[in-house]
Amino acid sequence: MEEISKTRNIGIIAHIDAGKTTVTERILFLTGKTYKLGEVHDGTAVMDWMDQEQERGITITSAATSCVWGDKNINIIDTPGHVDFTIEVERSLKVLDGVLVVFCGVGGVQPQTETVWRQADRYEVPKIALVNKLDRVGADFFKVIIDMHKKLGAVAVPLQVPIGHEDAFKGVIDLVEYKAYLFGEEGDLGEMQAIEIPEDMKDVVSHWRHNLIEKIADVDPEVEDLYLQDLRVQPEDLKKFIRRNTINNKIVPVMCGSALKNKGLKFVLDAVSEYLPSPLDVKMPKGTNPDTDGEVIIKPDKDAPLCAYAYKIMTDPFVGTVTYIRIYSGELKSGTYVLNSTSGKKERIAQIVKMHANQREQVQSAQAGQIIGLLGLKYTSTAHTLCEENKPVILEKINCPEPVVSMSIEPETRADQDKLGMGLRKLESEDPTFRVKYNHETGQTIINGMGELHLEVLVERLKREFKVLAKVGSPQVAYRETITQSVVSTGKFIQQTGGHGQYGHVELRIEPSEKGEGVVFEESIKGGTIPREYFKSVEKGVREAAQTGVLAGYPVTDIKVTLYDGSYHDVDSSELAFASAAGIGLRDGLRKAKPVLLEPIMRLEVTTPDDYLGDVIGDMNMRRIKVENIEQKGTTKIVTGAAPLAQMFGYATAIRSLTQGRATYTMEPSYYEEVPKNIAEKLMPSA
């Protein structure tokens, strides 16, 4: 148990370009894991190991590594910031015990920061924040704190305040120990100098130290008692209170630094070790026995029954498939067999490896609390659970966003045909937000993803890793269909073929449901007009029929279907008959319920110099973008709005030419909305 208490499983999450990968590189260097500083802008970052990551200067896939700081073993996952790769953040947060959230000292809370923050909140992951890039022009540590309070609703409590502003950022004052430090010429890489707190900063330091204790007192009765009695809180006690309330998600400690200039990362490592939880401190995931549906209690102990979760699959050209695993309880030993309770198949544990980006270190066993890689698993995919055969348990699945962009893909030559199919299958097994479908009417293979960049990267991977030459069509929007009024519908499937026939009869109530609910199925059968064993078949028939809408063949969403009546035949009724009847009933009902087309609306944020605001807004109006807010930040304007995805293809090029390359933008899926009539008519097959 001692080993587990000294483990920290942390992720580094942030908006694109806030400096996550640079922070990770500095941590690896400071802990002695690497002996050369990697730089993202030079394409030499260890954690950005894929060719495309080095070329594009962005993180595409979450990379795992481990290092030691003091007496703590720290497992780190560096995640992407680009919204197209949001599933990488989602699945990493599922298995982490704590996160370091990196904020840009200039940009503050940016759109993707809000997204990853909400994801971390959903999994109740404790957080520490680092305000990075404090040496840049326009950086303001205290403005970022206010931003965190306003935009994230976070109880952000600085544990440090910076000495010096922008390029004069030269040290920090530790509010817990009440000490001041100046960085040397090499920052963290050299000796730091302990100094007296500067006279002109004593009032600021006193204010923020008081703020620290006051904020903790607001959420912790023990600290409140000390505060009301006006008793001095000792540093050792204060550390204990900060740790307790960080782990309970009541506060977010905030550090300051500049990763690129090697300033402040030693203090961040100390804070990670001191305040983020070990696997013993966090709530274990909910386990269910697949045989009885009863709850299974999971204990973070190596002597407990095995429970491990596969959160990510990667295809490696040299060793085949690497399955990333978080072990919640028990121990995994190489050469043993385990049960994949999700697929119901047995797996042999051939090789266990500790990962360092794309490097591997083979080990014989791994235990509760560790994040490791397994080589050679045959039946395990993302979100599968591994356990002991006689102690089965299944963990909850990952929440996967729906793809919003699709394009057709076809091999350039006949020789590429088989390789394309195999490559697409492997990429689909790795990435739950990537879907491959075959359109029988057009004979096309359609790939679906989270955005243009997402699909572009995957097509490039097909070329490089799987040696497949493929032609792709223009990106298309993943439209949806829904209904605008409630109807009742009858579905009958009756066939007489001599001997046993087929008989299924259902009465369905179909009505619009809340946004984002998908297809909801309920039954309210009274008096046994349909036996209970056919309910599942009716639901299956409804869900299958909802995959293809009646307007233009797009999937149907946000409807509620209630099975309220029907009839059956003692001899002729079957599961197939009821599934077919449900499909007929749903399609008939959709036609009567005034169906409409829906399009994905993106949340758009454009940062542009003041001079180009008029051009940017004019272009937005032409693209049907609803401008919601314009905010001044320094000499730039930040414009936020709701943008129809159909109008946003090629926006990167357009905004560059409008602003001479000086504007930037971010975009993420927000909601679905009805397509305007004049555009909907063009999308209908009859048009």
Side-chain angles (χ1 to χ4, degrees):
M1 294 292 271
E2 184 62 22
E3 183 81 18
I4 299 179
S5 69
K6 292 187 174 174
T7 297
R8 300 287 180 271
N9 292 315
I10 70 159
I12 300 185
I13 63 175
H15 183 87
I16 190 167
D17 273 349
K20 293 176 303 301
T21 302
T22 305
V23 167
T24 313
E25 295 295 325
R26 297 305 181 261
I27 287 173
L28 295 178
F29 188 81
L30 289 171
T31 55
K33 187 77 182 185
T34 57
Y35 300 98
K36 179 174 175 291
L37 281 174
E39 303 292 2
V40 175
H41 52 267
D42 294 339
T44 57
V46 176
M47 301 302 278
D48 283 351
W49 56 270
M50 285 173 75
D51 291 346
Q52 289 197 70
E53 292 180 312
Q54 291 166 5
E55 287 165 18
R56 295 169 189 263
I58 61 168
T59 303
I60 290 169
T61 177
S62 57
T65 188
S66 58
C67 56
V68 176
W69 185 250
D71 63 345
K72 305 293 191 298
N73 295 308
I74 304 176
N75 296 316
I76 302 172
I77 296 179
D78 172 36
T79 63
H82 200 288
V83 68
D84 282 18
F85 309 104
T86 187
I87 188 62
E88 292 287 341
V89 182
E90 188 85 28
R91 56 182 170 190
S92 300
L93 286 170
K94 173 85 176 168
V95 298
L96 292 170
D97 301 327
V99 289
L100 174 63
V101 190
V102 183
F103 293 84
C104 171
V106 183
V109 176
Q110 295 163 288
Q112 188 61 11
T113 324
E114 292 184 53
T115 303
V116 295
W117 192 276
R118 285 196 302 271
Q119 286 173 306
D121 278 347
R122 189 161 61 242
Y123 290 111
E124 297 177 16
V125 182
K127 299 174 271 288
I128 284 180
L130 165 65
V131 180
N132 190 27
K133 303 188 180 184
L134 283 178
D135 55 332
R136 280 183 48 189
V137 176
D140 187 335
F141 178 71
F142 301 110
K143 190 171 183 307
V144 178
I145 301 294
I146 294 163
D147 236 13
M148 289 173 72
H149 284 294
K150 274 174 31 186
K151 293 186 180 175
L152 302 173
V155 183
V157 288
L159 304 189
Q160 304 171 321
V161 292
I163 302 173
H165 189 55
E166 296 180 349
D167 59 352
F169 172 53
K170 60 186 179 183
V172 293
I173 296 169
D174 183 338
L175 299 174
V176 178
E177 300 275 3
Y178 223 66
K179 291 178 181 173
Y181 299 93
L182 288 181
F183 301 119
E185 278 188 25
E186 294 183 281
D188 291 329
L189 309 182
E191 282 297 311
M192 269 182 285
Q193 182 189 348
I195 60 164
E196 289 293 315
I197 293 172
E199 200 62 40
D200 63 341
M201 291 193 69
K202 283 190 172 169
D203 287 349
V204 172
V205 172
S206 174
H207 165 77
W208 285 103
R209 162 86 180 192
H210 183 77
N211 171 79
L212 169 60
I213 295 168
E214 190 179 20
K215 284 281 194 286
I216 299 174
D218 286 345
V219 295
D220 191 319
E222 189 181 343
V223 184
E224 188 181 26
D225 289 345
L226 294 171
Y227 182 69
L228 293 173
Q229 293 170 45
D230 213 16
L231 296 174
R232 182 168 170 75
V233 182
Q234 297 302 318
E236 284 313 305
D237 291 332
L238 189 50
K239 285 180 182 178
K240 183 180 78 178
F241 298 141
I242 294 168
R243 176 176 172 77
R244 178 164 75 206
N245 291 290
T246 302
I247 289 170
N248 291 338
N249 261 312
K250 300 279 179 63
I251 63 167
V252 180
V254 187
M255 315 294 287
C256 49
S258 166
L260 192 63
K261 298 287 171 62
N262 303 304
K263 292 178 178 178
L265 272 298
K266 278 184 176 174
F267 295 119
V268 171
L269 277 165
D270 290 340
V272 164
S273 304
E274 194 86 49
Y275 305 126
L276 284 181
S278 77
L280 299 175
D281 301 316
V282 293
K283 194 168 81 177
M284 285 288 104
K286 187 181 164 200
T288 308
N289 184 320
D291 299 334
T292 64
D293 280 345
E295 192 177 339
V296 177
I297 304 297
I298 295 160
K299 292 181 182 169
D301 184 345
K302 82 179 189 68
D303 298 322
L306 175 71
C307 175
Y309 189 79
Y311 73 93
K312 177 180 164 72
I313 310 290
M314 274 298 284
T315 303
D316 186 297
F318 302 107
V319 296
T321 304
V322 182
T323 308
Y324 286 77
I325 299 281
R326 161 74 194 259
I327 306 175
Y328 284 105
S329 68
E331 189 173 20
L332 259 181
K333 290 183 181 171
S334 139
T336 58
Y337 282 88
V338 295
L339 173 70
N340 178 331
S341 52
T342 315
S343 67
K345 303 272 182 68
K346 280 172 75 174
E347 290 273 24
R348 183 174 182 274
I349 306 301
Q351 278 187 54
I352 303 173
V353 290
K354 278 188 175 175
M355 302 301 295
H356 176 47
N358 62 336
Q359 306 294 312
R360 293 166 297 279
E361 174 198 336
Q362 196 166 335
V363 292
Q364 290 308 304
S365 66
Q367 61 190 48
Q370 290 188 302
I371 292 175
I372 44 102
L374 298 179
L375 305 185
L377 297 189
K378 290 179 181 172
Y379 311 110
T380 303
S381 193
T382 302
H384 284 195
T385 308
L386 300 178
C387 57
E388 291 174 15
E389 205 173 349
N390 56 351
K391 300 268 176 65
V393 60
I394 282 187
L395 299 179
E396 285 179 307
K397 291 209 162 188
I398 296 168
N399 176 31
C400 281
E402 284 295 311
V404 292
V405 174
S406 64
M407 55 170 66
S408 61
I409 185 167
E410 57 183 62
E412 280 199 359
T413 67
R414 194 175 285 274
D416 287 316
Q417 182 84 47
D418 292 341
K419 283 197 291 185
L420 175 66
M422 188 180 71
L424 289 174
R425 275 196 301 278
K426 284 194 172 170
L427 291 176
E428 196 176 21
S429 73
E430 281 182 25
D431 185 346
T433 58
F434 176 60
R435 315 270 170 84
V436 182
K437 286 182 183 167
Y438 185 72
N439 187 324
H440 290 281
E441 288 176 22
T442 62
Q444 286 180 312
T445 300
I446 307 293
I447 54 176
N448 301 270
M450 295 305 295
E452 280 183 278
L453 179 64
H454 185 205
L455 293 180
E456 200 182 300
V457 165
L458 290 168
V459 170
E460 192 67 25
R461 282 188 63 194
L462 278 174
K463 195 185 295 181
R464 294 186 187 197
E465 292 172 35
F466 302 100
K467 306 290 184 276
V468 178
L469 294 176
K471 292 184 285 196
V472 292
S474 308
Q476 303 292 320
V477 176
Y479 290 98
R480 296 282 184 272
E481 297 183 19
T482 193
I483 56 172
T484 53
Q485 66 178 43
S486 302
V487 295
V488 292
S489 176
T490 302
K492 286 186 177 178
F493 183 73
I494 303 169
Q495 281 186 352
Q496 292 302 325
T497 51
H500 279 320
Q502 295 283 0
Y503 184 92
H505 165 216
V506 296
E507 298 287 340
L508 304 174
R509 190 180 303 112
I510 306 164
E511 51 201 322
S513 70
E514 292 297 312
K515 266 187 185 176
E517 284 201 346
V519 178
V520 179
F521 177 80
E522 290 179 0
E523 56 80 21
S524 59
I525 293 288
K526 290 185 176 65
T529 53
I530 297 176
R532 184 163 289 278
E533 68 253 31
Y534 294 128
F535 292 171
K536 274 236 161 65
S537 305
V538 174
E539 180 176 0
K540 183 175 175 235
V542 163
R543 292 193 183 280
E544 282 179 358
Q547 290 297 310
T548 311
V550 294
L551 277 179
Y554 294 110
V556 180
T557 190
D558 300 341
I559 61 167
K560 182 181 172 189
V561 181
T562 307
L563 170 65
Y564 70 92
D565 202 359
S567 62
Y568 75 105
H569 188 281
D570 283 337
V571 178
D572 291 352
S573 282
S574 67
E575 290 182 358
L576 173 68
F578 273 102
S580 302
I584 292 164
L586 182 77
R587 279 190 290 274
D588 186 47
L590 291 175
R591 286 188 193 95
K592 295 187 293 187
K594 296 205 172 158
V596 291
L597 274 185
L598 299 176
E599 64 179 342
I601 303 295
M602 313 298 280
R603 182 165 179 258
L604 176 72
E605 181 172 292
V606 179
T607 305
T608 175
D610 289 349
D611 305 353
Y612 302 105
L613 180 66
D615 294 338
V616 169
I617 298 283
D619 182 67
M620 284 181 161
N621 291 336
M622 282 167 56
R623 293 174 185 270
R624 295 195 287 123
I625 296 169
K626 289 179 197 153
V627 176
E628 293 168 348
N629 190 35
I630 302 175
E631 186 187 333
Q632 185 78 38
K633 200 174 242 184
T635 58
T636 61
K637 287 277 199 300
I638 295 173
V639 187
T640 49
L645 178 61
Q647 305 294 325
M648 298 309 291
F649 295 124
Y651 190 61
T653 310
I655 194 115
R656 263 189 232 121
S657 61
L658 279 173
T659 63
Q660 296 181 358
R662 291 174 62 197
T664 58
Y665 78 97
T666 56
M667 194 167 70
E668 61 182 25
S670 185
Y671 57 93
Y672 274 86
E673 188 175 80
E674 188 178 337
V675 178
K677 277 197 166 50
N678 60 325
I679 293 168
E681 283 164 9
K682 294 176 192 169
L683 295 166
M684 303 291 184
S686 56

